[in-house]
Amino acid sequence: DDIVIGASLSLTGVQAPLDEPGLKGAEVAVKYLNDNGGILGQQVKLINIDGKSDPITVGNNTIQLLNNGAELIIAPCDFDFGGPASREAQSAGFVGISTCASDPLYSSWSLGDKQFTLSMWNTAMGATAAEFAYKDKDWKTAYVVTDQFLAYTKSLSRYFVQHYKDIGGEVLAEDSYTQGDQDFSAQLARLQALPEQPDVIFISSYMPDLGTIIRAIREVGITAPIVGGDSYDDPSLIESLGGKFGNDIYFVTHTWMGSEAHPKMEEFIELYKAYHGAEPDTSFVATGWDTVMMMAQGVEAAGSVEGAAVALALEEGQFDLLTGNLDYSDAASGHMPTKAAAVVELQGGEPAFVGWKTAESQPAP
Amino acid sequence: MLEIRNIELRYGAVVAVKDVSLQVGQGELVALLGANGAGKSTTLKAIAGVMKPTRGTMVLNGANILGQSPEQMVRRGIAMVPETRDVFPDLTVEENLRLGGFSRRHDRAGQAELRERMFTLFPILAERIAQPAGTLSGGQQQMLVIARAMMSDPKLLLLDEPSLGLAPVIVDQLFDLIRDLKKSGTTILLVEQNAGKAMRIADRNYVIALGRIAAEGTSKEITGGSDLRAIYLGG
Amino acid sequence: MNKSTPITALCLLVPILALALFAGLAGYPVFARIATLLLINLILVLGLQVFMGNSGILSFAHIAFMAIGAYASSVFSIPLQMRGMVLPELYEPISELTLSPTVAILFGGLMATLIAALVSYPLMRLSDAAAVITSFALLMVIHTITVNWSQVTNGPRTLFGVPAFTTLPVVAVVAALAVLAALAFRQTRTGLLLRALRDDELAAVAMGAHPSRIRWCGFVVSALFAGIAGGLWAHFITSFQPNAFYLKETFLILAMLVIGGAGSVTGAVLGTFLVTLSFEGLRLTETMINTSNLLPLRLVGLTEIVLALAMIMVLVLRPSGLMGAREIGELLISRRRRTPDLP
Amino acid sequence: MGFYIQYVVDALSLGSLYALMALGLVIVYGILKLVNFAYGELIMITGYTLFLLGGGPLPWLVMAMVAVLMAVLGGILTEYTAFRPVRSKSVTAVLITSFALSTLLQNAALLFISPRARTVPLPDIFTQTVRFAGATIPLRNLITIAVAVVMLALFSWLMRRTILGLAMRAAATKFTMARMLGIPANLVITSAFAISGLLAGVAGLLWLGRIGSVVPGIGGEPLLIAFIATVIGGMRSLPGAVLGGYLLALIVTTLNYALPPDLLKFKDAFTFSLVILILLWRPDGLLRGPATGQRT
Amino acid sequence: MTGKPDSALCLSAEAVSVRFGSLKALDTVDLVLNRGEILGLIGPNGSGKTTLINAITGQVPLASGRVLCDGEDISALPPRERALRGILRSFQTVRLFRDLTVSENIEVAVVAKGGSRREAQKIAQPLIEEFGLGEKCDELAAALNYGDERRVEIARALAAEPKYLLLDEPAAGMNEEESEGLLSILKTLPERRGLGIIIIDHDMPLIMRLCSRLQAIASGKTIATGSVNEVRHAPAVIEAYLGSDAGELLHA
Ligand SMILES: Nc1ncnc2c1ncn2[C@@H]1O[C@H](COP(=O)(O)OP(=O)(O)OP(=O)(O)O)[C@@H](O)[C@H]1O
Ligand SMILES: Nc1ncnc2c1ncn2[C@@H]1O[C@H](COP(=O)(O)OP(=O)(O)OP(=O)(O)O)[C@@H](O)[C@H]1O
Ligand SMILES: [Mg+2]
Ligand SMILES: [Mg+2]
């Protein structure tokens, strides 16, 4: 009798670019587990039903999965899409883990005492970016651009600004942008009109607009360093900037696909290549692997798949993951992940690993 | 010139024309008469290529034209004035006329000449050259439809109730025009509610009733033969 | 009252009850869930039919009134202890107000109606393409507001913590009432005049009809349906964000109505059932193919592709939808009357 | 000074782009009275063609031409699948079929290419800037303006001076009657879609020039813009569509420059409210187009 | 019979002019329609007959002049208000509500002026019988043949209980039998219902048998008005309108 892991990751729609790599990584992990004796001696089966980037479909799918015997749930990578999956898992009494939801709302407060996210929260992501800029690089003034259309981009900016000010930085101006506008010239004009040019530019946006904005900034000859979050960790951004515009860009993300980040990374990449027949094209694949491996450790520690026991094991355990060391607080304090973030820099169009970094403090959610 | 044999025409399951045969000689003016719903318009639509006969043959100048598209029919020199006053309402009078000569659009001189001729015939059209056709009065639209059909300088002209909605005096002029056209060599097939007027100018007539030819002959033969009303009703 | 209306009502209520009974008793929670969503969509589509079907004017704004219903009902039914977390910036005087779900849903419907009544009157002067576009613009405006009015909607983020109240029996009853209301509306004075205006505005005006006032009535009634549907939906889904009320959903309900036949209530019911059931059926097939590993590659987006093709097929074959402008009752009666004539 | 030049060039280049997109839509929407929701997907086709050709041996100009050609073919395909079978029967039916086609194409891109953004090859000239009187202006914006002027001139000549434009309008209103005058009506309508595809292709190149990459949903925004521009300009008038495009760009740019950042997020609400106001003031759009031939 | 109003109960146009751009479609035309009479409006194509009806019902704006209904100036009222005052019309091309049934078509006329559905049914029923539409009352208007369409259109106008009924070429495209049927319906209406009718048609025999009075217009101006005999003998009418038919008609 197998242990069934249910997932409702989206393979179609806006959410697919984030969910699909996670699924691929998870598949590799399941294969690895099964080749090495499974969990608690049982074989593991992963069933994914396309969530179609629709929260309602995700909810329906999760109910269907639970109905078909799933006892662990992988939730999609966002509070909006992952929430419904976690809520259903919670009401069925099972553990649900989102692969990369970074909104602090993804907590046991709002979803229940058996729900987790593998990702660091935006509080940590924003704070890490702020500390990296202010402390490591000594950039004292910042200009912040926020894409207004997404919850993720808005909250990331908010925590960056809050923490950057807290530790002594000065935000010269904040500007906003609407996803899909493809026109950044007014914001540029305002930036250029500032009496004093900023040391660093923090941009919270998404592809493909993120590429448009960075290119526009670089095209007019502004060379100030640009800092951002994990939405920069997208090969299409790096490709679209190329060697010409891909300079002095730093971002905080989940991991780095090389042995500098984790000794086991090489092995994972080999397994991934064997399974999918191609190199992973984004580091988000590691979140899928980590989710499954962490589930496995939790279940082994709890000795069963029973929700409360596994949740307790996850709260108590400390996990050494491809995406950094992870430690959860207890349910009463929200299952807040304390996690190291990877900082990556882009020079001449080539990404390079800067190092792991954990913010010294982070704003309250 | 045109010879139709035993054609049958249907609207879905409804057989509108059961068995019609008729002939129009070169330069002839033939009238097609009959009661409402007898199948006159349907027959004309078949000749214009808008409807495909389900049976029978159609030959124009020795060539088989059965099942050809309306565009091909126009290229063979057929022009039609439909009964539904189909002007292009948003286009101006001038644009409507220009499209009437679509098949001869490269013959600029010929087109200009034809246009002048239509303007002498229907001076109102010249006055309203830039008015959208949809805002013309009912009768003016009817004139435009006739003039538009003439712009392709047809060899065979199909007229479906051309006098509909026209003032009596214009009807007179219209019949004069039809006579003139015939004189200048155009072959004409005319459908009319106003049987008396039509027979007065026609060389020969066909009376169609219940989808079949009920009588044919010169006007004298037909009116002399028996009661026209009885023939109309299929007697 | 038209003599065929009772027959139509009967023919339309049967599938609703059958669905509710089947899905409720099947003991398979996914069925009950899909059935509930189907019936909520049905209320929505019926509302759209009330305006669009009778007036012939395409409205994109319908889903926006669903949004208003959903948000207006949720804000006050989220339990206080949750509300602090979900809507920390809610305005002082109303931040403590709490309504029971039933009252909240009615309140949502009322708000949608009220807002529709206030904003739509000037728009109703327009017909044709201009009306379609203004309704589109209205959708955009309301959407932008829901995305940005963080105090009340939590901005683009998910609003969660809405108590689960809506159940299959509740929805079935409301959907049944909605069918009856839509059928009755069609036969009212306003319904008849709306249909007359749809067919020939000039002629109707020449008889004394007041186009904007009549369309406005239709629009407002239609917004009531949407608002109630929105409230029911919110209390079923329990967490949602503004994007749930946008183009994708708009086109989904439009497709349901148009495929069924916008001109009739029967069409609305038929379209909703058909589209939902085939969508779910296809999704199931897609999942089955993918989980059984029958094919070497993963099929993605197949459901959408097949459904889109099916939609095109239906409309190519029956451009005015499957039902056209006549109700099932009318068709049954006229068939019965015709039968004895046959030789 | 530099600020104003910047503003003017921004508004003009954005307007040129919008005008081109609107024109492509209006030729189908205004003349044939069909709303083509799959219009945005023609831009998507342009983008993916460029992407697939990228890295190949072809010079960019050739790739661009192939991409535009594919958009033209896409336009023709739209006509064959979604419009020809339903045209003139029901406006709503056409709207839904075109929407269905749009989902179909998007999902096909998703299934066969990728949900992720793909970078398209662009020539260097698209990323260079010129400095002028204190303003930094991307060359791409100047190219956009120039291309739009040429295309608009070409297009107005085509519609005004050739019989094709007339034939299109005739075939659209009374299909059978047009055929009875010898107009190859099907061909004429197809050519309207081909022209629409051409405009979408060219506008698509310029649009891609701004973004640099293509995703399956790339067509949504241009469609929306074209739609609104068409409406405020005048739904039945070609110059109206152009005017609408420039006006919309002016509104957007002005709001972008003038609104303080915390109101900027309501920019769309402002824009659309303005659109509603314009429509209430002039329900037929700013330019009425040829007077309608409707009467009692 | 004269064109003078018998009492204040009449519909009249006083020196009405209508312009379309530079075209003067109507030039100071006067018209009086009394209750209980049928007035024939004849004239060449494009003379302005339809436009005159449009001016009276408010579908086109007046350049000058005024329209009076029962002594009250209604020139400034929109079409729907004029309909509410009892001025109803038919159109040169049939304009039925195609997706409504025959009885619904007729009921619209009642509810449009504020009646309830029940009243509407009460009024529609006898009209349906009178016009011989009983068989077809549940058919959609789109499925009717031409003659029936015309009958429904007139029944619909009557359901609004008009005081003045304006008919634009109601017999166009009808064959002789059908126009005969129409004639017998129209002939008795004014007396039975006490309404005034204006009828436009190019079918002169029909006009002459139906009307008590004629008004002829040409190029937007009245060229003759009076009894049927006076008008059909007027040289201006013969020249501008009747042509060779005049001969036949004069001896009819
Ligand atoms: N579109 C149509 N669909 C179905 N039946 C039709 C259609 N058009 C005509 N008919 C039927 O076909 C028959 C012949 O019609 P047709 O129009 O040819 O008659 P007609 O002789 O021209 O009459 P009229 O003098 O009234 O113009 C009629 O019975 C008519 O009802
Ligand atoms: N909207 C309009 N724009 C421009 N001209 C118009 C408009 N409506 C009517 N006209 C012109 O006004 C004149 C009068 O038209 P009207 O329709 O009243 O004529 P009519 O007497 O009814 O003719 P018919 O017997 O042919 O129907 C015509 O010359 C017509 O072209
Ligand atoms: Mg006929
Ligand atoms: Mg007239």
Side-chain angles (χ1 to χ4, degrees), chain A residues 30-353:
Chain A
V30 169
K31 169 118 193 336
Y32 175 82
L33 284 172
N34 286 338
D35 289 348
N36 293 284
I39 306 179
L40 298 176
Q42 291 172 324
Q43 288 287 291
V44 186
K45 201 170 146 199
L46 172 66
I47 304 177
N48 182 66
I49 307 181
D50 183 4
K52 298 193 181 303
S53 302
D54 171 32
I56 296 157
T57 305
V58 170
N60 285 351
N61 288 346
T62 309
I63 291 182
Q64 190 178 336
L65 288 163
L66 291 165
N67 219 1
N68 291 347
E71 291 163 315
L72 293 160
I73 293 293
I74 301 180
C77 179
D78 187 273
F79 182 69
D80 294 342
F81 302 96
S86 269
R87 264 186 287 271
E88 297 305 338
Q90 177 73 23
S91 61
F94 291 113
V95 164
I97 305 178
S98 168
T99 51
C100 60
S102 60
D103 197 302
L105 281 177
Y106 218 106
S107 64
S108 53
W109 295 315
S110 58
L111 295 170
D113 62 355
K114 302 179 186 67
Q115 307 309 316
F116 300 82
T117 174
L118 185 87
S119 167
M120 70 196 116
W121 283 351
N122 276 346
T123 43
M125 201 185 292
T128 312
E131 288 186 15
F132 172 76
Y134 188 81
K135 295 191 175 152
D136 298 8
K137 292 289 185 180
D138 208 24
W139 294 324
K140 303 290 186 214
T141 57
Y143 170 79
V144 177
V145 181
T146 310
D147 186 330
Q148 289 297 328
F149 213 66
L150 291 157
Y152 158 81
T153 50
K154 286 175 83 168
S155 84
L156 183 59
S157 279
R158 196 171 91 214
Y159 296 125
F160 171 83
V161 169
Q162 199 176 329
H163 198 66
Y164 189 74
K165 284 183 182 159
D166 283 351
I167 57 179
E170 184 192 353
V171 174
L172 296 179
E174 285 186 63
D175 211 336
S176 55
Y177 171 86
T178 310
Q179 176 88 6
D181 260 5
Q182 320 299 6
D183 184 40
F184 193 67
S185 27
Q187 288 84 346
L188 263 186
R190 275 195 288 272
L191 167 58
Q192 287 173 305
L194 287 179
E196 177 196 348
Q197 287 300 297
D199 292 339
V200 58
I201 302 174
F202 183 83
I203 303 171
S204 184
S205 180
Y206 239 60
M207 275 306 277
D209 295 52
L210 181 56
T212 313
I213 297 175
I214 297 181
R215 279 160 39 123
I217 290 178
R218 290 290 186 249
E219 270 169 16
V220 297
I222 297 174
T223 52
I226 294 173
V227 170
D230 64 345
S231 60
Y232 285 51
D233 196 353
D234 183 334
S236 66
L237 173 69
I238 294 162
E239 198 185 328
S240 84
L241 294 178
K244 191 166 172 205
F245 303 120
N247 286 309
D248 289 319
I249 294 170
Y250 302 84
F251 54 90
V252 176
T253 182
H254 304 282
T255 189
W256 167 251
M257 298 304 281
S259 49
E260 309 96 301
H262 197 282
K264 284 205 142 172
M265 192 61 90
E266 299 278 295
E267 188 190 348
F268 166 64
I269 294 176
E270 283 313 310
L271 288 169
Y272 185 96
K273 269 199 282 196
Y275 191 99
H276 290 293
E279 291 258 357
D281 58 356
T282 157
S283 65
F284 278 74
V285 290
T287 63
W289 163 279
D290 279 354
T291 305
V292 172
M293 297 311 276
M294 190 172 74
M295 276 177 173
Q297 290 179 44
V299 172
E300 292 281 359
S304 83
V305 291
E306 200 264 314
V310 179
L312 196 65
L314 292 177
E315 285 169 16
E316 287 175 351
Q318 295 222 352
F319 303 93
D320 171 23
L321 302 171
L322 296 184
T323 55
N325 293 320
L326 172 60
D327 187 7
Y328 287 113
S329 70
D330 60 13
S333 39
H335 284 168
M336 179 173 92
T338 304
K339 199 178 181 195
V343 180
V344 176
E345 99 177 279
L346 199 58
Q347 295 292 357
E350 291 298 327
F353 185 53

Side-chain angles (χ1 to χ4, degrees), chain B residues 36 85 128 131 137-140 143 164-170 172 193 197 200 229 233, chain E residues 23 43-46 92 169 172-176 202 204 239-245 248:
Chain B
N36 277 91
R85 266 187 213 159
R128 299 303 163 77
Q131 186 172 332
S137 85
Q140 291 165 343
M143 296 176 211
L164 188 86
L166 292 184
V169 47
I170 303 286
D172 282 352
Q193 282 297 351
K197 275 207 149 81
R200 222 171 292 154
R229 179 158 295 182
L233 300 174
Chain E
L23 172 75
N45 297 118
Q92 190 161 355
E169 300 199 25
M174 284 190 180
N175 67 19
E176 248 169 71
H202 292 296
M204 283 311 290
E239 192 207 334
Y241 184 61
L242 295 174
S244 72
D245 266 0
E248 293 166 29

Side-chain angles (χ1 to χ4, degrees), chain C residues 245-284:
Chain C
F245 315 99
Y246 205 40
L247 293 178
K248 200 172 153 207
E249 182 74 0
T250 298
F251 279 108
L252 188 68
I253 59 168
L254 267 180
M256 289 177 179
L257 185 57
V258 172
I259 285 178
S264 62
V265 177
T266 314
V269 176
L270 186 69
T272 311
F273 271 77
L274 219 61
V275 171
T276 313
L277 295 182
S278 47
F279 184 82
E280 293 300 335
L282 281 167
R283 213 170 55 80
L284 213 67

Side-chain angles (χ1 to χ4, degrees), chain B residues 118-168:
Chain B
M118 288 303 118
F119 286 163
T120 26
L121 191 67
F122 302 118
I124 190 75
L125 295 183
E127 270 171 48
R128 299 303 163 77
I129 191 91
Q131 186 172 332
T135 64
L136 292 175
S137 85
Q140 291 165 343
Q141 291 185 7
Q142 187 69 15
M143 296 176 211
L144 176 59
V145 175
I146 296 169
R148 193 180 58 188
M150 294 301 302
M151 293 299 289
S152 67
D153 194 12
K155 299 198 186 65
L156 172 61
L157 180 61
L158 310 174
L159 293 170
D160 197 348
E161 303 196 20
S163 68
L164 188 86
L166 292 184

